[in-house]
Amino acid sequence: MTRFFSLLLGRGQLAVLGLLLTALLSCTKDDTTVAEPKTITDQILEDKQFSLLKEAMAYANAGDALKAANLTFFAPNDAAFQASGISSVATIMTMSKEQVKTMLLYHALNAPVTSSAIPSGQNAVLTASQGVAYLNNAGGGTIYVNSARVTQPDIKAANGIIHVIDRVLTPSAGSILATIQANPRLTFLAAAVKRVDSSNPSLIASLSNTSASNPLTLFAPNDDAFMAAGYKTISAIETASTQTLSSLLSYHIVSGLNLSYQIQTSSVNTLLSGNRLNLTASNGVLGVKGNKNTTPAIVRTADLVATNGVVHIIDQVLQP
């Protein structure tokens, strides 16, 4: 059970102690029962709700990995795949086998964790793919992993625990800075970050931090948003005032982890001192409005989880 504690990142000693006691009590209880013979892989292969997951496992040759001892697996069912835009085997096969395997292992933890053992609030954990995910015990039996909700918890397997979830998880790509640099729709933003590197090193350090202890939320304008704001080319970014870009970038960042399901209509502080953003959440549409924007920017791609927070891609540059 000691391996479980290495999954937790940035939690206080009191929370870890409570978790330790819960885990030890769970182990004591489980030792008196007979383990079921079916592994996580076996149960997925036999359950009709996991037909797309089964195909993904076969394509990526990931079945053996999910037969390893002492795992937790957050299993997206067919409805979860469809809700995430992966509606067929053909869609799965547009990704490489290695990408699919990484995605599947991102759904696994290297310790058996029941829903009752998850501390209240948000917990950063290390996944079997060496990525960071965020477990949130919101109370009342409501558990999230990143922005996916657990719809059926605590299915026991011979080698661990299965929790059924309603979304497919997208593996974290490293820090927020690494997430920006890896996204082909954020090349102008990447250029802006590079431009202010020497003039605002503390901002760049915050974006490139690999610790989950002080997470950030970045509302990231896509390339079209920058062009609409007057930055027609990458060269325009590279020759822009570093002070202007530094203020602009800071205005797009909020302290704390704000996943899409946590965003409510409200006004929030940004890293640009004295300046706030107005957030709206209505009928599944998330909006973000700057002081000088005439209309809210819309979140086009939500919940790109990073080791130090989350990125939401938006369709306007926010103006302080």
Side-chain angles (χ1 to χ4, degrees):
M1 295 302 297
T2 55
R3 285 187 300 163
F4 175 68
F5 307 116
S6 66
L7 300 173
L8 285 173
L9 305 172
R11 299 292 295 173
Q13 291 182 345
L14 185 59
V16 171
L17 178 59
L19 185 58
L20 173 61
L21 293 173
T22 303
L24 290 176
L25 289 172
S26 298
C27 285
T28 301
K29 182 178 179 181
D30 289 344
D31 286 343
T32 65
T33 63
V34 178
E36 294 188 20
K38 296 178 182 178
T39 66
I40 290 171
T41 296
D42 295 329
Q43 295 208 40
I44 289 168
L45 293 179
E46 296 177 11
D47 194 327
K48 292 181 179 179
Q49 70 173 315
F50 297 126
S51 66
L52 288 171
L53 176 57
K54 179 175 67 175
E55 295 290 347
M57 288 168 54
Y59 173 65
N61 298 315
D64 286 346
L66 296 179
K67 291 181 179 179
N70 300 318
L71 295 178
T72 298
F73 188 63
F74 296 96
N77 58 19
D78 288 349
F81 271 87
Q82 291 160 1
S84 302
I86 307 173
S87 58
S88 67
V89 177
T91 306
I92 294 170
M93 294 180 69
T94 60
M95 297 180 277
S96 71
K97 292 185 178 183
E98 190 60 34
Q99 285 175 318
V100 175
K101 187 171 184 178
T102 298
M103 179 184 75
L104 293 175
L105 292 181
Y106 184 70
H107 289 70
L109 306 179
N110 288 319
V113 182
T114 62
S115 60
S116 62
I118 300 171
S120 61
Q122 205 115 249
N123 306 271
V125 295
L126 189 67
T127 71
S129 69
Q130 300 303 301
V132 172
Y134 295 90
L135 296 180
N136 183 9
N137 183 347
T142 300
I143 304 290
Y144 288 91
V145 52
N146 293 352
S147 58
R149 183 170 179 170
V150 173
T151 57
Q152 188 178 355
D154 302 324
I155 301 172
K156 290 186 178 181
N159 62 326
I161 302 291
I162 300 170
H163 302 296
V164 182
I165 56 175
D166 66 357
R167 290 289 188 280
V168 176
L169 306 178
T170 300
S172 58
S175 67
I176 289 175
L177 179 58
T179 301
I180 294 168
Q181 293 171 334
N183 195 301
R185 292 172 292 168
L186 301 178
T187 61
F188 280 66
L189 179 58
V193 172
K194 184 177 180 180
R195 174 68 173 156
V196 303
D197 189 357
S198 59
S199 63
N200 194 344
S202 63
L203 175 62
I204 306 307
S206 296
L207 294 176
S208 59
N209 183 18
T210 57
S211 170
S213 58
N214 295 295
L216 300 172
T217 298
L218 169 67
F219 295 99
N222 59 24
D223 290 349
D224 288 341
F226 271 97
M227 287 187 279
Y231 299 94
K232 299 299 185 182
T233 64
I234 293 290
S235 295
I237 295 285
E238 293 172 339
T239 56
S241 162
T242 56
Q243 182 177 355
T244 298
L245 287 180
S246 181
S247 296
L248 200 64
L249 291 176
S250 298
Y251 190 55
H252 287 75
I253 304 171
V254 175
S255 294
L257 184 77
N258 296 277
L259 293 160
S260 59
Y261 73 91
Q262 297 171 311
I263 294 177
Q264 300 179 351
T265 298
S266 60
S267 176
V268 295
N269 286 317
T270 70
L271 295 193
L272 183 60
S273 181
N275 286 270
R276 298 172 69 85
L277 294 173
N278 293 311
L279 307 181
T280 56
S282 178
N283 299 318
V285 177
L286 301 178
V288 192
K289 186 177 179 299
N291 292 330
K292 294 182 180 177
N293 292 87
T294 56
T295 60
I298 302 300
V299 173
R300 298 299 180 182
T301 302
D303 302 322
L304 300 178
V305 170
T307 53
N308 58 334
V310 64
V311 176
H312 305 295
I313 299 178
I314 57 175
D315 61 2
Q316 288 187 57
V317 173
L318 304 174
Q319 302 293 343

